[in-house]
Amino acid sequence: GRSLSPCQSDASRRHCRIDKEKSGFISLVSRYLSGNEEQIEWGKIHTPTDEVVVPYDTLAAPPEDLAATKALLDKLAVLKLNGGLGTTMGCTGPKSVIEVRNGFTFLDLIVVQIEVGSLNKKYGSNVPLLLMNSFNTHDDTLKIVEKYANSNIQIHTFNQSQYPRVVADEFLPWPSKGKTDKDGWYPPGHGDIFPSLMNSGKLDLLLSQGKEYVFIANSDNLGAIVDMKILNHLIHKQNEYCMEVTPKTLADVKGGTLISYEGRVQLLEIAQVPDAHVNEFKSIEKFKIFNTNNLWVSLKAIKRLVEADALKMEIIPNPKEVEGVKVLQLETAAGAAIRFFDHAIGMNVPRSRFLPVKATSDLQLVQSDLYTLVDGFVTRNAARTNPSNPSIELGPEFKKVGCFLGRFKSIPSIVELDSLKVSGDVWFGSGIVLKGKVTITAKPGVKLEIPDGKVIENKKLLAPFSL
């Protein structure tokens, strides 16, 4: 019979993967130590034209008929970045299993969207879902996806690379100094998605199924749904890479932006900006857009570039202190890969495609009357005339999901709210309506309970006085 290549059996495939991870880590470290990172020359930066950052409203309508739509969808796979834990919101396990609304988790919504809401049932297509886990989320995720076993969707899970943390002062891998538990390791950022897709065997599997594009997004971005207009455009124009960007608001001044630089489109992150230009970078006038991290990428191009070892994204050094030891994590970002792909573009999309849930204040928005949930899609209430969402600041008492939920008998109406700031031991009754600019402060040692049905408009409440 045919002799197996060295990476065919399961055990040897695992060894191969570990070898590839090792060489990936070594090449990252040597790139970092060589100090050859190019500095951006500020004078060479140009604002991209509409050819490079395409306005969403100029896209052609996708085909109407079912067969043509199915043909497009059959070329697509959806991949969600699922490596993050829910720790910042006080939850154990993967962040994607936090309940977003009506008892649905992020993962539930993602599955329902692909399965029922738009794609596989409606068009008879077979859009697979891939979850890129980290070693922190992998075991939990495997258990969680069992509940979707009978659904009309293929779910593939794979692990991103696991690199050793480096002890900062000696620049040695922490595990080789006797740190054997998992705190000695880290997942090296989502730039690692390209080699990990390849090393896991998932890339070749998708290509063998006739897939051409992967739509990558953070699992906590509720706005990152499959868009036929974008897919149709990319397939027709043969763009190897598309980054969805959206206009900056004052809340997004730190987000990475797209620039034209020496004839290519590339991502500019705040970390790469010389100190003298940071304020200019943050201004909404010059750099009007930012990266949503919704990315559409050609699978063939990923294979070509990974095999050529051509994806040398900017290295993001992330210093941490773990158990009193100063360590360094070297990371890369998937968005920074844009400059290595041919015919890469940005797509200036509506803000509705960027609805991340990073904190309980975001959960308050999504669980309120500002949004509705239909077939897994979270849609904004047309009754709100202001295009931007209210700004919400909740004190540390609300930081954990459990505490947050406990402090609201029901989520207040915020359709007419501009801003809310809550500090101290505040508890909300049910059916409360918040409008305009509202500040609610309970002084230390004071418990403030806001009664059911109360309407608060343009007020500063200070307990123990003003209620």
Side-chain angles (χ1 to χ4, degrees):
R2 205 162 57 84
S3 71
L4 290 177
S5 83
C7 281
Q8 296 283 273
S9 79
D10 273 352
S12 61
R13 196 181 289 131
R14 200 174 156 269
H15 277 291
C16 268
R17 204 188 70 225
I18 291 168
D19 284 346
K20 284 175 178 153
E21 280 187 25
K22 258 189 200 157
S23 59
F25 173 70
I26 290 165
S27 101
L28 193 65
V29 169
S30 50
R31 261 203 314 135
Y32 177 73
L33 290 176
S34 73
N36 287 342
E37 292 272 291
E38 294 169 46
Q39 293 303 307
I40 291 267
E41 280 186 56
W42 201 253
K44 290 185 178 176
I45 291 177
H46 298 285
T47 305
T49 63
D50 283 359
E51 275 78 66
V52 180
V53 176
V54 180
Y56 180 83
D57 30 359
T58 64
L59 297 187
E64 298 269 313
D65 87 296
L66 288 175
T69 306
K70 178 183 186 299
L72 284 176
L73 285 170
D74 283 341
K75 298 178 176 180
L76 180 69
V78 172
L79 189 153
K80 300 289 178 174
L81 302 171
N82 190 50
L85 293 165
T87 34
T88 47
M89 293 168 77
C91 297
T92 52
K95 185 176 175 188
S96 58
V97 301
I98 292 175
E99 288 189 5
V100 181
R101 190 170 168 135
N102 305 12
F104 286 94
T105 66
F106 289 105
L107 218 44
D108 293 340
L109 294 177
I110 289 163
V111 168
V112 170
Q113 285 165 13
I114 295 177
E115 185 196 16
V116 188
S118 62
L119 308 174
N120 290 353
K121 259 198 182 117
K122 191 167 165 189
Y123 299 105
S125 58
N126 179 10
V127 176
L129 171 65
L130 290 93
L131 299 172
M132 182 167 85
N133 304 322
S134 65
F135 63 88
N136 291 317
T137 60
H138 192 63
D139 294 347
D140 285 338
T141 301
L142 287 184
K143 288 194 206 81
I144 290 154
V145 296
E146 284 173 13
K147 76 177 201 187
Y148 308 119
N150 300 326
S151 59
N152 180 21
I153 180 174
Q154 280 186 322
I155 300 179
H156 303 278
T157 58
F158 67 100
N159 244 345
Q160 77 170 106
S161 308
Q162 174 175 339
Y163 284 179
R165 284 175 162 154
V166 173
V167 179
D169 50 2
E170 314 163 69
F171 221 84
L172 287 170
W174 204 7
S176 70
K177 294 182 59 72
K179 180 68 178 161
T180 51
D181 64 8
K182 68 179 196 176
D183 280 345
W185 302 81
Y186 74 101
H190 46 57
D192 174 60
I193 185 167
F194 305 115
S196 291
L197 255 181
M198 182 87 167
N199 296 343
S200 65
K202 298 302 178 192
L203 184 64
D204 286 330
L205 175 70
L206 292 172
L207 285 167
S208 74
Q209 295 173 344
K211 307 298 176 199
E212 293 179 19
Y213 280 88
V214 60
F215 172 42
I216 302 165
N218 297 355
S219 60
D220 65 7
N221 179 7
L222 297 171
I225 60 181
V226 170
D227 186 291
M228 295 307 301
K229 267 170 93 165
I230 298 176
L231 179 60
N232 184 46
H233 182 88
L234 300 180
I235 286 174
H236 278 288
K237 303 279 187 198
Q238 293 293 297
N239 302 106
E240 287 190 346
Y241 188 112
C242 169
M243 173 188 289
E244 292 185 39
V245 294
T246 196
K248 268 188 196 182
T249 67
L250 291 171
D252 317 302
V253 291
K254 290 184 174 160
T257 192
L258 283 181
I259 56 173
S260 288
Y261 192 80
E262 298 187 328
R264 289 186 91 78
V265 58
Q266 71 182 60
L267 183 67
L268 177 65
E269 297 274 14
I270 194 161
Q272 299 164 274
V273 176
D275 291 346
H277 296 284
V278 165
N279 283 341
E280 193 183 341
F281 175 83
K282 285 182 174 176
S283 88
I284 300 183
E285 279 71 57
K286 178 163 182 178
F287 299 105
K288 296 185 170 70
I289 52 171
F290 74 99
N291 170 24
T292 62
N293 221 38
N294 298 349
L295 311 170
W296 303 71
V297 192
S298 153
L299 293 165
K300 276 193 182 130
I302 294 173
K303 187 174 167 84
R304 180 186 81 236
L305 291 167
V306 171
E307 282 178 343
D309 195 20
L311 295 173
K312 305 216 182 297
M313 284 88 87
E314 292 74 15
I315 296 171
I316 307 156
N318 184 358
K320 288 199 187 283
E321 193 166 308
V322 184
E323 294 163 27
V325 181
K326 288 191 166 60
V327 295
L328 194 59
Q329 302 182 175
L330 301 180
E331 301 175 6
T332 62
I338 189 168
R339 64 193 175 98
F340 300 105
F341 288 81
D342 293 334
H343 311 296
I345 58 169
M347 181 77 67
N348 195 342
V349 299
R351 181 76 186 198
S352 58
R353 295 189 57 73
F354 184 66
L355 183 58
V357 177
K358 299 289 181 200
T360 50
S361 52
D362 299 319
L363 272 185
Q364 184 181 343
L365 286 173
V366 170
Q367 294 180 359
S368 73
D369 58 351
L370 197 54
Y371 287 92
T372 52
L373 179 62
V374 182
D375 279 350
F377 297 104
V378 178
T379 314
R380 203 155 170 272
N381 186 341
R384 181 173 176 87
T385 45
N386 184 342
S388 59
N389 278 345
S391 79
I392 295 181
E393 265 183 79
L394 302 173
E397 296 80 1
F398 292 81
K399 186 176 162 68
K400 295 184 170 176
V401 176
C403 304
F404 160 82
L405 292 171
R407 286 176 177 272
F408 289 99
K409 252 199 233 170
S410 72
I411 300 288
S413 163
I414 57 172
V415 174
E416 295 177 52
L417 178 71
D418 295 321
S419 64
L420 171 68
K421 187 171 184 185
V422 181
S423 345
D425 186 13
V426 180
W427 299 76
F428 291 81
S430 61
I432 290 168
V433 179
L434 304 173
K435 301 180 177 190
K437 292 185 167 61
V438 177
T439 311
I440 302 171
T441 311
K443 290 188 163 174
V446 177
K447 179 177 183 179
L448 171 56
E449 299 189 50
I450 298 174
D452 296 354
K454 190 157 180 66
V455 178
I456 305 174
E457 182 165 4
N458 289 320
K459 275 210 175 74
K460 289 189 175 169
L461 302 183
L462 177 66
F465 309 120
S466 57
L467 207 71

